[in-house]
Amino acid sequence: WLILLFFFAIGTEARLSELATRGGAMFAFCAILAASNVATALLLGKLFRCSLEEIALAINATLGGAPSAAALAIAKGWPGLVL
């Protein structure tokens, strides 16, 4: 809960005009990072002969965090991939 308060406090000082002008570049930067993450995970996953489920969970864990990867594995019925 305190992390949300922290983000609120940081965000209150943001100017909407700067967000509008710099937001596109920041979105493009994040999209490039996410795409390179997916490409690297797919390449290395196939190189090490991992299943598509394991690769999908690895991508989810690096982009969304470990709790979201565990939730995805449980929701998709992959209990062997939940640690």
Side-chain angles (χ1 to χ4, degrees), residues 29-42:
F29 177 70
C30 290
I32 289 169
L33 285 179
S36 65
N37 179 22
V38 170
T40 303
L42 287 172

Side-chain angles (χ1 to χ4, degrees), residues 60-61 64-74:
N60 191 348
S68 68
L72 174 68
I74 292 169

Side-chain angles (χ1 to χ4, degrees), residues 47-69:
L47 182 69
F48 289 111
R49 296 186 179 117
C50 297
S51 68
L52 189 58
E53 291 85 6
E54 292 171 332
I55 297 170
L57 280 180
I59 293 169
N60 191 348
T62 56
L63 292 177
S68 68

Side-chain angles (χ1 to χ4, degrees), residues 4 18 39 52 56:
L4 296 176
E18 285 188 31
L52 189 58

